Amino acid sequence: MKQAARAQLAQSINLTPQLLQSIRLLQLTSPQLEQELLQALALNPMLEQDESDEAGETDIDAGECQSDDAALEAAAWDELPEPMHGSTNPPGGSGADDDGIARIADGSSSDPRVRLLQELALEWDPDALPLAQWWLDHCDDRGYLEQPVRELIAQGARALAVAKAEMRLSRLRLLHGPWPGMAAADASECLRAQLRAQRSHLRATDTDEVATFQLAERILDGHIALLAANEVGALAKTVRADVATVERAIGLIRALSPSAVEEPADDTGGYIIPDVVVRFIGGDWRVALNGRAAPRVRVAAHCERALADAPGDQSVLRGLLDEARWLVRGVAMRNETLLRTAQVLVERQRGFLERGEEAIAPLTLREVADTIAMHESTVSRITTGKYIQTPRGTFELKRLFAVRLEGAAVSGAAVKAMVKRLIDAEPPHAPLADDTIAGLLERRGVRIARRTVAKYRDQLSIGPARSRQRPAPTPFAG
Protein backbone atom coordinates (compact mmCIF):
# COMPACT_ATOMS: atom_id res chain seq x y z
CA MET A 1 0.00 0.00 0.00
CA LYS A 2 1.43 3.36 -0.99
CA GLN A 3 1.31 6.05 1.66
CA ALA A 4 1.21 9.74 0.86
CA ALA A 5 1.10 12.94 2.88
CA ARG A 6 -1.28 15.70 1.92
CA ALA A 7 -1.59 19.20 3.36
CA GLN A 8 -5.09 20.47 3.93
CA LEU A 9 -6.20 23.94 5.06
CA ALA A 10 -9.39 24.09 7.09
CA GLN A 11 -11.09 26.60 9.37
CA SER A 12 -12.64 25.41 12.60
CA ILE A 13 -14.23 27.05 15.60
CA ASN A 14 -13.25 25.86 19.06
CA LEU A 15 -15.62 26.04 22.00
CA THR A 16 -13.23 27.91 24.27
CA PRO A 17 -14.24 29.03 27.79
CA GLN A 18 -14.54 32.58 26.44
CA LEU A 19 -16.89 31.45 23.69
CA LEU A 20 -18.97 29.45 26.15
CA GLN A 21 -19.25 32.59 28.28
CA SER A 22 -20.45 34.56 25.23
CA ILE A 23 -23.10 31.93 24.53
CA ARG A 24 -24.26 32.04 28.14
CA LEU A 25 -24.47 35.85 28.08
CA LEU A 26 -26.57 35.61 24.92
CA GLN A 27 -29.21 33.58 26.76
CA LEU A 28 -29.41 35.64 29.97
CA THR A 29 -32.56 37.61 30.70
CA SER A 30 -32.30 41.22 31.91
CA PRO A 31 -32.45 40.37 35.65
CA GLN A 32 -29.95 37.56 35.16
CA LEU A 33 -27.58 39.81 33.20
CA GLU A 34 -27.84 42.52 35.85
CA GLN A 35 -26.93 39.99 38.55
CA GLU A 36 -24.04 38.69 36.46
CA LEU A 37 -22.60 42.16 35.90
CA LEU A 38 -23.01 43.27 39.51
CA GLN A 39 -21.21 40.13 40.64
CA ALA A 40 -18.42 40.72 38.12
CA LEU A 41 -18.04 44.33 39.31
CA ALA A 42 -17.71 43.10 42.89
CA LEU A 43 -15.14 40.38 42.11
CA ASN A 44 -13.00 41.88 39.33
CA PRO A 45 -11.12 45.13 40.13
CA MET A 46 -10.35 45.57 36.43
CA LEU A 47 -14.02 46.36 35.77
CA GLU A 48 -15.87 49.56 36.52
CA GLN A 49 -19.40 50.80 35.95
CA ASP A 50 -19.75 53.13 33.00
CA GLU A 51 -21.62 56.17 34.29
CA SER A 52 -20.49 58.57 31.60
CA ASP A 53 -24.00 58.76 30.14
CA GLU A 54 -27.35 58.79 31.84
CA ALA A 55 -28.97 55.38 31.73
CA GLY A 56 -31.71 55.31 29.16
CA GLU A 57 -32.50 54.10 25.68
CA THR A 58 -29.36 53.43 23.70
CA ASP A 59 -28.60 52.53 20.12
CA ILE A 60 -25.74 50.16 19.32
CA ASP A 61 -23.41 51.07 16.52
CA ALA A 62 -23.74 48.34 13.95
CA GLY A 63 -19.99 48.28 13.48
CA GLU A 64 -19.09 48.33 17.14
CA CYS A 65 -18.36 44.62 17.46
CA GLN A 66 -17.74 43.56 13.90
CA SER A 67 -14.07 42.74 14.12
CA ASP A 68 -12.95 39.51 12.46
CA ASP A 69 -12.60 37.77 15.82
CA ALA A 70 -16.00 38.94 16.99
CA ALA A 71 -17.62 37.76 13.77
CA LEU A 72 -15.93 34.39 14.15
CA GLU A 73 -17.17 34.04 17.72
CA ALA A 74 -20.70 35.04 16.71
CA ALA A 75 -20.60 32.40 14.00
CA ALA A 76 -19.55 29.85 16.61
CA TRP A 77 -22.83 30.35 18.44
CA ASP A 78 -24.33 28.46 15.54
CA GLU A 79 -22.25 25.40 16.43
CA LEU A 80 -24.64 24.58 19.26
CA PRO A 81 -28.06 23.06 18.50
CA GLU A 82 -31.21 25.13 18.63
CA PRO A 83 -32.91 24.80 22.03
CA MET A 84 -35.84 22.43 21.85
CA HIS A 85 -38.19 24.93 23.44
CA GLY A 86 -37.54 27.42 20.64
CA SER A 87 -38.30 25.15 17.72
CA THR A 88 -41.05 26.35 15.45
CA ASN A 89 -41.64 22.84 14.14
CA PRO A 90 -41.35 20.48 17.11
CA PRO A 91 -41.40 16.76 16.50
CA GLY A 92 -44.71 15.22 17.26
CA GLY A 93 -46.59 18.48 16.76
CA SER A 94 -50.33 18.35 16.41
CA GLY A 95 -50.46 19.94 13.00
CA ALA A 96 -49.03 22.45 10.57
CA ASP A 97 -51.03 25.27 12.18
CA ASP A 98 -49.83 24.42 15.68
CA ASP A 99 -47.85 27.42 16.88
CA GLY A 100 -45.02 26.16 19.08
CA ILE A 101 -43.98 29.71 19.94
CA ALA A 102 -47.49 30.53 21.17
CA ARG A 103 -47.22 27.76 23.73
CA ILE A 104 -44.12 29.43 25.16
CA ALA A 105 -45.74 32.86 25.27
CA ASP A 106 -48.56 31.55 27.41
CA GLY A 107 -46.12 31.29 30.33
CA SER A 108 -44.46 28.37 32.07
CA SER A 109 -44.81 26.53 35.34
CA SER A 110 -42.70 27.48 38.33
CA ASP A 111 -41.96 23.76 38.80
CA PRO A 112 -38.93 22.77 36.68
CA ARG A 113 -40.17 19.16 36.50
CA VAL A 114 -43.39 20.29 34.84
CA ARG A 115 -41.51 22.52 32.38
CA LEU A 116 -39.15 19.75 31.36
CA LEU A 117 -41.98 17.24 31.03
CA GLN A 118 -43.83 19.65 28.73
CA GLU A 119 -40.68 19.94 26.65
CA LEU A 120 -40.21 16.17 26.49
CA ALA A 121 -43.81 15.73 25.35
CA LEU A 122 -42.79 17.35 22.06
CA GLU A 123 -40.22 14.66 21.22
CA TRP A 124 -40.76 11.57 23.40
CA ASP A 125 -43.31 8.86 22.68
CA PRO A 126 -46.36 9.07 24.97
CA ASP A 127 -45.56 5.64 26.43
CA ALA A 128 -42.15 6.89 27.62
CA LEU A 129 -43.44 9.99 29.41
CA PRO A 130 -44.66 8.18 32.58
CA LEU A 131 -41.12 6.84 33.10
CA ALA A 132 -39.66 10.31 32.69
CA GLN A 133 -42.24 11.71 35.09
CA TRP A 134 -41.36 9.05 37.67
CA TRP A 135 -37.67 9.98 37.54
CA LEU A 136 -38.44 13.70 37.72
CA ASP A 137 -40.65 13.13 40.76
CA HIS A 138 -37.61 11.67 42.52
CA CYS A 139 -35.32 14.64 41.73
CA ASP A 140 -34.72 17.59 44.02
CA ASP A 141 -34.98 21.23 42.96
CA ARG A 142 -31.46 21.13 41.48
CA GLY A 143 -32.21 18.08 39.33
CA TYR A 144 -30.27 15.53 41.43
CA LEU A 145 -31.75 12.15 42.39
CA GLU A 146 -32.86 11.97 46.01
CA GLN A 147 -32.00 8.25 46.39
CA PRO A 148 -29.33 5.89 44.99
CA VAL A 149 -29.80 4.99 41.33
CA ARG A 150 -30.09 1.23 41.87
CA GLU A 151 -32.81 1.62 44.48
CA LEU A 152 -34.80 3.97 42.25
CA ILE A 153 -34.49 1.65 39.23
CA ALA A 154 -35.89 -1.24 41.29
CA GLN A 155 -38.68 0.87 42.77
CA GLY A 156 -39.64 2.35 39.40
CA ALA A 157 -39.70 -1.04 37.68
CA ARG A 158 -42.13 -2.33 40.31
CA ALA A 159 -44.29 0.80 40.38
CA LEU A 160 -44.64 1.10 36.60
CA ALA A 161 -44.53 -2.63 35.79
CA VAL A 162 -41.65 -2.28 33.33
CA ALA A 163 -38.25 -3.91 32.99
CA LYS A 164 -35.31 -2.46 34.89
CA ALA A 165 -33.54 -1.92 31.59
CA GLU A 166 -36.32 0.44 30.48
CA MET A 167 -36.01 2.43 33.70
CA ARG A 168 -32.23 2.64 33.26
CA LEU A 169 -32.56 3.77 29.63
CA SER A 170 -35.17 6.38 30.57
CA ARG A 171 -32.82 7.95 33.11
CA LEU A 172 -29.98 8.05 30.61
CA ARG A 173 -32.23 9.80 28.10
CA LEU A 174 -33.02 12.41 30.74
CA LEU A 175 -29.37 12.71 31.75
CA HIS A 176 -28.30 13.44 28.18
CA GLY A 177 -31.52 15.11 27.04
CA PRO A 178 -32.51 18.76 26.49
CA TRP A 179 -31.40 19.64 30.05
CA PRO A 180 -28.02 17.81 30.24
CA GLY A 181 -27.35 16.51 33.74
CA MET A 182 -30.99 16.12 34.78
CA ALA A 183 -31.60 13.08 37.02
CA ALA A 184 -27.88 12.87 37.82
CA ALA A 185 -26.74 10.88 40.84
CA ASP A 186 -24.27 13.58 41.92
CA ALA A 187 -22.54 16.77 40.82
CA SER A 188 -19.80 14.86 38.99
CA GLU A 189 -22.29 13.01 36.77
CA CYS A 190 -24.24 16.23 36.15
CA LEU A 191 -21.16 18.11 34.99
CA ARG A 192 -19.93 15.19 32.88
CA ALA A 193 -23.27 15.09 31.07
CA GLN A 194 -22.98 18.79 30.28
CA LEU A 195 -19.42 18.30 29.03
CA ARG A 196 -20.51 15.43 26.83
CA ALA A 197 -23.28 17.57 25.31
CA GLN A 198 -20.76 20.28 24.43
CA ARG A 199 -18.16 17.82 23.21
CA SER A 200 -20.63 16.24 20.79
CA HIS A 201 -20.54 19.45 18.73
CA LEU A 202 -16.79 19.36 18.19
CA ARG A 203 -15.36 18.26 14.87
CA ALA A 204 -13.26 15.11 14.79
CA THR A 205 -10.37 17.17 13.43
CA ASP A 206 -10.31 19.38 16.54
CA THR A 207 -7.95 16.96 18.25
CA ASP A 208 -6.62 19.47 20.81
CA GLU A 209 -10.09 20.51 21.91
CA VAL A 210 -11.31 16.91 22.06
CA ALA A 211 -8.31 16.03 24.24
CA THR A 212 -9.09 18.94 26.56
CA PHE A 213 -12.69 17.81 26.93
CA GLN A 214 -11.54 14.26 27.62
CA LEU A 215 -9.17 15.52 30.32
CA ALA A 216 -11.99 17.55 31.88
CA GLU A 217 -14.14 14.41 32.00
CA ARG A 218 -11.29 12.47 33.67
CA ILE A 219 -10.94 15.20 36.28
CA LEU A 220 -14.65 15.07 37.07
CA ASP A 221 -14.68 11.29 37.05
CA GLY A 222 -12.06 10.67 39.73
CA HIS A 223 -10.34 13.83 40.88
CA ILE A 224 -13.12 16.22 41.81
CA ALA A 225 -11.71 16.67 45.34
CA LEU A 226 -8.47 18.14 43.95
CA LEU A 227 -10.52 20.32 41.63
CA ALA A 228 -12.61 21.63 44.53
CA ALA A 229 -9.41 22.38 46.49
CA ASN A 230 -7.98 24.22 43.45
CA GLU A 231 -4.80 22.13 43.64
CA VAL A 232 -3.81 22.66 40.02
CA GLY A 233 -0.25 21.40 40.44
CA ALA A 234 -1.27 18.23 42.25
CA LEU A 235 -4.04 17.67 39.73
CA ALA A 236 -1.63 18.02 36.80
CA LYS A 237 0.71 15.49 38.40
CA THR A 238 -2.14 13.05 39.08
CA VAL A 239 -3.55 13.11 35.56
CA ARG A 240 -0.06 13.30 34.02
CA ALA A 241 -0.65 16.45 32.02
CA ASP A 242 1.04 19.84 31.90
CA VAL A 243 -0.38 22.68 34.00
CA ALA A 244 -1.51 24.74 31.00
CA THR A 245 -3.60 21.85 29.64
CA VAL A 246 -5.11 21.21 33.07
CA GLU A 247 -6.00 24.90 33.42
CA ARG A 248 -7.80 24.81 30.07
CA ALA A 249 -9.75 21.74 31.20
CA ILE A 250 -10.62 23.46 34.49
CA GLY A 251 -11.83 26.48 32.51
CA LEU A 252 -14.27 24.24 30.64
CA ILE A 253 -15.57 22.82 33.91
CA ARG A 254 -15.99 26.22 35.55
CA ALA A 255 -18.09 27.38 32.60
CA LEU A 256 -20.66 24.66 33.42
CA SER A 257 -23.67 24.99 35.68
CA PRO A 258 -23.81 23.06 38.97
CA SER A 259 -27.51 22.48 38.36
CA ALA A 260 -29.20 21.01 35.31
CA VAL A 261 -32.42 22.91 36.01
CA GLU A 262 -33.13 25.69 33.54
CA GLU A 263 -34.86 28.76 34.88
CA PRO A 264 -38.11 29.71 33.13
CA ALA A 265 -37.78 32.50 30.63
CA ASP A 266 -40.68 34.41 32.22
CA ASP A 267 -39.30 34.17 35.77
CA THR A 268 -38.76 37.89 36.42
CA GLY A 269 -39.73 38.13 40.07
CA GLY A 270 -43.24 39.43 39.47
CA TYR A 271 -42.33 42.29 37.15
CA ILE A 272 -40.96 42.69 33.65
CA ILE A 273 -37.97 44.77 32.61
CA PRO A 274 -38.08 45.40 28.85
CA ASP A 275 -34.83 44.79 27.00
CA VAL A 276 -35.96 46.73 23.92
CA VAL A 277 -38.14 49.84 23.60
CA VAL A 278 -40.09 50.66 20.43
CA ARG A 279 -41.68 54.05 19.68
CA PHE A 280 -43.46 55.51 16.66
CA ILE A 281 -41.58 58.75 15.89
CA GLY A 282 -41.73 60.83 12.72
CA GLY A 283 -43.79 58.30 10.82
CA ASP A 284 -41.44 55.40 11.53
CA TRP A 285 -40.86 52.81 14.22
CA ARG A 286 -37.67 53.42 16.22
CA VAL A 287 -36.00 50.55 18.07
CA ALA A 288 -33.55 51.07 20.95
CA LEU A 289 -32.09 49.04 23.79
CA ASN A 290 -33.25 49.81 27.30
CA GLY A 291 -30.13 51.08 29.04
CA ARG A 292 -31.83 50.69 32.41
CA ALA A 293 -32.12 46.92 32.01
CA ALA A 294 -28.58 46.27 33.29
CA PRO A 295 -25.55 48.31 34.39
CA ARG A 296 -23.04 49.29 31.73
CA VAL A 297 -19.53 48.06 32.46
CA ARG A 298 -16.12 48.81 30.97
CA VAL A 299 -12.51 47.94 31.57
CA ALA A 300 -10.99 50.35 34.09
CA ALA A 301 -8.55 52.41 32.02
CA HIS A 302 -6.38 53.45 34.97
CA CYS A 303 -5.91 49.80 36.01
CA GLU A 304 -5.04 48.85 32.46
CA ARG A 305 -2.40 51.60 32.23
CA ALA A 306 -0.93 50.75 35.63
CA LEU A 307 -0.69 47.07 34.77
CA ALA A 308 1.10 47.80 31.50
CA ASP A 309 3.99 49.45 33.38
CA ALA A 310 3.98 47.18 36.45
CA PRO A 311 7.23 45.29 37.11
CA GLY A 312 7.50 41.64 38.14
CA ASP A 313 5.08 38.76 37.67
CA GLN A 314 1.55 40.13 37.29
CA SER A 315 -0.01 37.01 35.78
CA VAL A 316 -2.96 37.02 38.21
CA LEU A 317 -3.87 40.62 37.46
CA ARG A 318 -3.39 40.08 33.74
CA GLY A 319 -5.76 37.13 33.96
CA LEU A 320 -8.37 39.38 35.61
CA LEU A 321 -7.82 41.95 32.87
CA ASP A 322 -8.43 39.33 30.17
CA GLU A 323 -11.60 38.20 31.95
CA ALA A 324 -12.81 41.82 32.10
CA ARG A 325 -12.17 42.30 28.38
CA TRP A 326 -13.98 39.06 27.50
CA LEU A 327 -16.98 40.05 29.60
CA VAL A 328 -17.25 43.55 28.12
CA ARG A 329 -16.88 42.16 24.62
CA GLY A 330 -19.43 39.40 25.22
CA VAL A 331 -22.02 41.88 26.54
CA ALA A 332 -21.45 44.15 23.54
CA MET A 333 -21.96 41.24 21.13
CA ARG A 334 -25.12 40.22 22.99
CA ASN A 335 -26.54 43.75 22.82
CA GLU A 336 -25.74 44.13 19.14
CA THR A 337 -27.39 40.80 18.28
CA LEU A 338 -30.44 41.69 20.36
CA LEU A 339 -30.84 45.07 18.67
CA ARG A 340 -30.43 43.71 15.15
CA THR A 341 -32.95 40.94 15.83
CA ALA A 342 -35.47 43.35 17.36
CA GLN A 343 -35.16 45.70 14.38
CA VAL A 344 -36.02 42.89 11.96
CA LEU A 345 -38.95 41.75 14.11
CA VAL A 346 -40.39 45.28 14.27
CA GLU A 347 -39.98 45.79 10.53
CA ARG A 348 -41.71 42.49 9.70
CA GLN A 349 -44.52 42.98 12.26
CA ARG A 350 -45.28 46.62 11.56
CA GLY A 351 -48.86 45.66 10.74
CA PHE A 352 -49.30 44.06 14.16
CA LEU A 353 -47.94 47.14 15.94
CA GLU A 354 -50.26 49.44 13.99
CA ARG A 355 -53.45 47.37 13.67
CA GLY A 356 -53.35 44.61 16.27
CA GLU A 357 -53.40 40.82 16.53
CA GLU A 358 -55.30 40.20 13.30
CA ALA A 359 -52.46 41.79 11.32
CA ILE A 360 -49.63 39.69 12.75
CA ALA A 361 -47.73 38.23 9.81
CA PRO A 362 -46.30 34.72 9.51
CA LEU A 363 -42.67 34.85 10.63
CA THR A 364 -40.21 32.10 11.52
CA LEU A 365 -36.83 31.92 13.19
CA ARG A 366 -35.23 30.98 9.88
CA GLU A 367 -36.52 34.13 8.12
CA VAL A 368 -35.10 36.41 10.82
CA ALA A 369 -31.86 34.43 10.97
CA ASP A 370 -31.37 34.73 7.21
CA THR A 371 -31.95 38.48 7.38
CA ILE A 372 -29.30 39.10 10.06
CA ALA A 373 -26.95 36.42 8.64
CA MET A 374 -27.01 34.23 11.73
CA HIS A 375 -28.27 30.77 12.65
CA GLU A 376 -31.76 29.97 13.91
CA SER A 377 -30.32 28.83 17.24
CA THR A 378 -28.79 32.28 17.80
CA VAL A 379 -32.11 34.00 17.10
CA SER A 380 -33.92 31.57 19.39
CA ARG A 381 -31.49 32.21 22.26
CA ILE A 382 -31.53 36.00 21.94
CA THR A 383 -35.35 36.20 21.83
CA THR A 384 -36.09 33.76 24.67
CA GLY A 385 -36.84 35.62 27.88
CA LYS A 386 -36.24 39.06 26.30
CA TYR A 387 -39.09 41.57 26.39
CA ILE A 388 -40.03 44.43 24.11
CA GLN A 389 -41.99 47.53 25.17
CA THR A 390 -44.39 48.82 22.50
CA PRO A 391 -47.46 51.07 22.38
CA ARG A 392 -49.48 47.83 22.42
CA GLY A 393 -47.91 46.67 25.67
CA THR A 394 -44.81 44.85 26.86
CA PHE A 395 -44.41 41.22 25.83
CA GLU A 396 -41.76 38.63 25.00
CA LEU A 397 -40.01 38.94 21.66
CA LYS A 398 -41.15 35.38 20.90
CA ARG A 399 -44.68 36.74 20.48
CA LEU A 400 -43.62 38.47 17.26
CA PHE A 401 -43.05 35.08 15.64
CA ALA A 402 -46.05 33.35 14.12
CA VAL A 403 -46.47 30.10 12.21
CA ARG A 404 -48.08 30.36 8.79
CA LEU A 405 -51.45 28.65 8.64
CA GLU A 406 -51.36 25.80 6.14
CA GLY A 407 -52.92 26.78 2.85
CA ALA A 408 -53.27 30.46 3.81
CA ALA A 409 -51.24 33.66 3.69
CA VAL A 410 -51.98 34.51 7.33
CA SER A 411 -50.59 33.28 10.63
CA GLY A 412 -52.31 31.08 13.16
CA ALA A 413 -52.12 33.90 15.73
CA ALA A 414 -53.99 36.23 13.36
CA VAL A 415 -56.70 33.65 12.76
CA LYS A 416 -57.06 33.11 16.50
CA ALA A 417 -57.62 36.86 16.90
CA MET A 418 -60.27 36.72 14.15
CA VAL A 419 -62.04 33.89 15.94
CA LYS A 420 -62.08 35.90 19.17
CA ARG A 421 -63.47 38.99 17.45
CA LEU A 422 -66.27 37.01 15.81
CA ILE A 423 -67.24 35.45 19.15
CA ASP A 424 -67.09 38.81 20.94
CA ALA A 425 -69.49 40.29 18.34
CA GLU A 426 -71.97 37.38 18.26
CA PRO A 427 -75.56 37.83 19.51
CA PRO A 428 -75.81 36.50 23.09
CA HIS A 429 -79.01 34.54 22.29
CA ALA A 430 -77.56 33.03 19.07
CA PRO A 431 -73.87 32.21 19.56
CA LEU A 432 -71.85 31.08 16.58
CA ALA A 433 -71.06 27.39 16.24
CA ASP A 434 -67.53 26.34 15.29
CA ASP A 435 -68.51 25.33 11.76
CA THR A 436 -70.31 28.68 11.31
CA ILE A 437 -67.16 30.55 12.34
CA ALA A 438 -65.14 28.44 9.91
CA GLY A 439 -67.59 29.39 7.15
CA LEU A 440 -67.37 33.11 7.96
CA LEU A 441 -63.59 32.96 7.85
CA GLU A 442 -63.68 31.10 4.53
CA ARG A 443 -65.61 34.01 3.01
CA ARG A 444 -62.65 36.19 3.94
CA GLY A 445 -60.20 33.85 2.23
CA VAL A 446 -59.09 31.96 5.34
CA ARG A 447 -59.90 28.26 5.02
CA ILE A 448 -59.61 26.31 8.27
CA ALA A 449 -61.33 23.21 9.59
CA ARG A 450 -63.96 23.24 12.33
CA ARG A 451 -61.60 21.39 14.68
CA THR A 452 -59.04 24.19 14.22
CA VAL A 453 -61.64 26.74 15.29
CA ALA A 454 -62.40 24.57 18.32
CA LYS A 455 -58.70 24.36 19.17
CA TYR A 456 -58.25 28.14 19.00
CA ARG A 457 -61.43 28.64 21.05
CA ASP A 458 -60.08 26.30 23.74
CA GLN A 459 -56.77 28.19 23.78
CA LEU A 460 -58.76 31.40 24.35
CA SER A 461 -60.63 29.71 27.26
CA ILE A 462 -63.96 30.19 25.47
CA GLY A 463 -66.62 27.53 25.82
CA PRO A 464 -68.66 25.96 22.99
CA ALA A 465 -71.71 27.69 21.54
CA ARG A 466 -74.24 26.00 23.83
CA SER A 467 -72.43 27.23 26.95
CA ARG A 468 -72.32 30.80 25.62
CA GLN A 469 -76.02 31.02 24.84
CA ARG A 470 -78.04 33.57 26.82
CA PRO A 471 -81.84 34.08 26.80
CA ALA A 472 -83.11 36.58 24.27
CA PRO A 473 -84.27 39.87 25.80
CA THR A 474 -87.98 40.01 26.57
CA PRO A 475 -89.75 42.56 24.36
CA PHE A 476 -91.23 45.50 26.26
CA ALA A 477 -95.00 45.14 26.63
CA GLY A 478 -96.62 48.59 26.68
Side-chain angles (χ1 to χ4, degrees), residues 343-362:
Q343 286 173 333
V344 174
L345 290 172
V346 169
E347 290 170 5
R348 297 293 185 91
Q349 297 296 3
R350 181 174 183 138
F352 162 72
L353 294 173
E354 295 175 356
R355 301 191 299 277
E357 290 281 354
E358 293 189 26
I360 190 166

Side-chain angles (χ1 to χ4, degrees), residues 25 28-38 294 331 334:
L25 289 173
L28 295 182
T29 63
S30 287
Q32 291 169 346
L33 179 62
E34 180 180 16
Q35 186 68 25
E36 180 90 6
L37 295 181
L38 290 176
V331 172
R334 171 194 183 273

Side-chain angles (χ1 to χ4, degrees), residues 93 221 233 280 332 405:
D221 193 30
F280 190 71
L405 194 64

Side-chain angles (χ1 to χ4, degrees), residues 162-286:
V162 297
K164 290 183 179 180
E166 289 187 53
M167 292 299 301
R168 188 178 297 106
L169 178 61
S170 178
R171 186 184 84 90
L172 291 176
R173 290 185 68 187
L174 279 175
L175 186 66
H176 302 290
W179 294 9
M182 196 68 184
D186 51 34
S188 174
E189 188 176 42
C190 176
L191 295 175
R192 289 202 310 271
Q194 294 179 45
L195 269 180
R196 179 177 173 181
Q198 294 179 5
R199 178 184 166 189
S200 65
H201 305 298
L202 292 176
R203 296 183 178 90
T205 54
D206 298 333
T207 54
D208 291 342
E209 285 299 306
V210 171
T212 304
F213 271 83
Q214 290 174 340
L215 178 59
E217 290 174 358
R218 284 174 55 201
I219 292 173
L220 289 174
D221 193 30
H223 311 289
I224 198 167
L226 289 175
L227 174 65
N230 200 27
E231 296 286 349
V232 179
L235 193 54
K237 186 179 296 184
T238 303
V239 298
R240 298 181 179 180
D242 59 89
V243 174
T245 304
V246 171
E247 286 179 341
R248 287 198 301 272
I250 292 175
L252 291 175
I253 295 172
R254 286 176 176 169
L256 303 175
S257 171
S259 171
V261 174
E262 295 187 0
E263 294 298 324
D266 54 352
D267 182 15
T268 55
Y271 59 91
I272 292 175
I273 300 176
D275 299 84
V276 183
V277 178
V278 180
R279 286 194 172 90
F280 190 71
I281 302 174
D284 198 9
W285 291 96
R286 303 292 179 87

Side-chain angles (χ1 to χ4, degrees), residues 124-138:
W124 283 34
D125 294 333
D127 295 341
L129 290 177
L131 279 70
Q133 182 176 357
W134 194 90
W135 281 112
L136 294 176
D137 286 343
H138 290 79

Side-chain angles (χ1 to χ4, degrees), residues 304-319:
E304 196 171 9
R305 287 193 299 269
L307 187 58
D309 301 328
D313 183 12
Q314 303 294 336
S315 57
V316 174
L317 292 177
R318 294 188 191 281

